[in-house]
Amino acid sequence: MGSPALRADLLSDTLTRPTDGMRAAMASAEVGDDVFGEDPTLRALEERVADLLGHEAALFTPSGSMANQLGVRLHVRPGEELVGDSLAHVVRAELGAAAVLSGISSRTWVSERGRFRADDAASLMITGVGPYQVCTALVVVENTHNFGGGTVQSLEEIRRARAITRERGVAMHLDGARLVNAHVATGVPLADYGHEFDTVSLCLSKGLGAPVGSVLVGSSDQMAESRIWRKRFGGGMRQAGILAAAGLWALDHHVERLADDHARARRAAEALAEARPGAVELATVETNIVIVDVAAAGWAAPAFVEAALARGVRTYAVGPGSVRLVWHLDVDDAATGVAIDVLTELLRSGPPTPA
Ligand SMILES: Cc1ncc(COP(=O)(O)O)c(C=O)c1O
């Protein structure tokens, strides 16, 4: 991987490398020992993100998974459950962390491309059943939705769920790894999303382009508790202001430019849809992620991924017949053009016929 022949790397928006400006900001960051709460740059980042999301306090974490898992354990006691959609990162890609680390069970509903509907959550939740059944303590929502294909969640549905969960004493956590993509795509202020959730995690290391780091927001008491659990999880960091400086740089310089990623994803999606009708449903392309139904052109996803890679374009198989393409800071117009040429050609030709 990382081969010099790679001409467009659409594997993930986690691939971005820090820009020169970001590296300079990191090199000159004022730092202290954050386990003692003495890192001024980290403090500034936490205050900034709490403010952006309209919450009282924030906590920096080394990863989005840790931010989610700290959020989850704040709301759910051992033996209780969280509910979410079956494609959610928290239930599908954090390797059972809620169960392993916090004794939490999970149940899921099936969604269309990760699209959140309040009724799905409401019909799965079980509350007020005393000692007889597992009680639902938390609904997890992901916005944008990664495996769903960058799906932007409806604020109206979220508000409906908030009203229902509040009545039933169930908390809500937002996996906002790509919440800034949703904000840029819709113009909805980050705080409007933040307002509907007890806790929110936000990743600096996805489309925003920082090398490391996520932030969890919630109340001051919750963040004080999460700080203890972060240390237990092995995530207490020392001069992490170096990382926070990258996050602050990203918030200053890499938010509006997410619109470029969205535009390039759309440009490619339109070309692929034209090359092979049925391969991309254009209405589903909402942000920086495109899911291609390569089976519509007769391909199995692993063979398509291999053929694209052999031509210098890296992609990711997300299902037996579907492939994910992700735009980010390190994929410019020229690389997008290369990806379009290679992928449209593969969709037009279909897989090689056996000799
Ligand atoms: C939606 C979502 N949530 C959480 C994460 C976890 O982030 P990390 O890889 O930093 O643990 C990811 C990672 O891709 C993600 O896509």
Side-chain angles (χ1 to χ4, degrees):
M1 293 301 151
S3 117
L6 212 51
R7 297 186 294 155
D9 203 340
L10 304 175
L11 183 72
S12 171
D13 51 10
T14 57
L15 297 174
T16 57
R17 277 156 299 204
T19 60
D20 290 346
M22 183 180 276
R23 284 174 192 264
M26 295 170 78
S28 62
E30 210 185 316
V31 296
D33 188 328
D34 182 54
V35 171
F36 291 108
E38 289 176 358
D39 190 303
T41 310
L42 197 41
R43 190 70 52 79
L45 174 70
E46 289 175 343
E47 278 172 17
R48 172 106 176 251
V49 176
D51 213 46
L52 273 175
L53 288 162
H55 278 254
E56 222 169 49
L59 184 74
F60 183 74
T61 61
S63 71
S65 300
M66 191 185 284
N68 280 336
Q69 292 303 321
L70 288 172
V72 159
R73 75 162 298 127
L74 275 171
H75 309 296
V76 192
R77 288 178 297 192
E80 293 179 339
E81 70 176 9
L82 64 83
V83 294
D85 84 273
S86 65
L87 297 174
H89 196 279
V90 166
V91 293
R92 194 185 181 204
E94 294 177 12
L95 307 186
V100 173
L101 303 176
S102 303
I104 294 168
S105 57
S106 305
R107 278 188 308 129
T108 57
W109 64 82
V110 174
S111 66
E112 194 194 326
R113 297 192 319 106
R115 171 90 57 218
F116 178 71
R117 296 184 328 135
D119 288 346
D120 288 334
S123 56
L124 200 60
M125 281 165 28
I126 299 178
T127 52
V129 284
Y132 305 110
Q133 284 183 35
V134 175
C135 279
T136 307
L138 179 70
V139 173
V140 175
V141 179
E142 187 172 311
N143 195 17
T144 66
H145 201 294
N146 176 2
F147 294 119
T151 310
V152 177
Q153 308 297 3
S154 143
L155 190 55
E156 283 319 300
E157 283 298 308
I158 291 170
R159 285 185 173 139
R160 269 186 1 93
R162 183 61 161 172
I164 296 166
T165 52
R166 189 175 275 137
E167 203 167 284
R168 294 176 65 180
V170 172
M172 290 194 25
H173 171 76
L174 174 60
D175 177 353
R178 295 180 182 78
L179 187 65
V180 184
N181 291 84
H183 157 66
V184 167
T186 59
V188 171
L190 288 167
D192 285 17
Y193 288 118
H195 182 255
E196 305 304 326
F197 292 89
D198 297 283
T199 47
V200 182
S201 65
L202 184 139
C203 283
L204 301 161
S205 61
K206 308 287 182 302
L208 289 177
V212 177
S214 288
V215 182
L216 177 71
V217 304
S219 71
S220 299
D221 285 351
Q222 285 171 330
M223 293 307 103
E225 191 182 337
S226 288
R227 177 172 274 274
I228 294 168
W229 278 100
R230 184 186 67 177
K231 184 83 161 56
R232 279 198 187 111
F233 284 173
M237 292 163 285
R238 303 297 178 174
Q239 286 71 34
I242 283 187
L243 305 176
L248 285 166
W249 178 272
L251 291 172
D252 285 337
H253 298 92
H254 295 167
V255 171
E256 280 85 24
R257 67 149 307 284
L258 289 174
D260 299 340
D261 295 342
H262 299 176
R264 288 176 182 130
R266 174 144 288 274
R267 178 183 152 207
E270 285 170 358
L272 299 182
E274 196 185 308
R276 173 65 71 163
V280 177
E281 232 183 283
L282 285 177
T284 68
V285 181
E286 300 177 59
T287 52
N288 63 325
I289 302 179
V290 178
I291 305 286
V292 188
D293 179 2
V294 295
W299 285 93
F304 185 91
V305 167
E306 201 182 312
L309 189 59
R311 291 159 179 77
V313 178
R314 191 155 65 141
T315 60
Y316 182 63
V318 283
S322 44
V323 168
R324 187 186 70 177
L325 319 175
V326 187
W327 268 262
H328 54 79
L329 193 57
D330 292 351
V331 183
D332 59 12
D333 282 331
T336 301
V338 168
I340 289 173
D341 290 347
V342 166
L343 301 179
T344 53
E345 171 56 27
L346 292 176
L347 286 179
R348 282 200 189 97
S349 67
T353 39

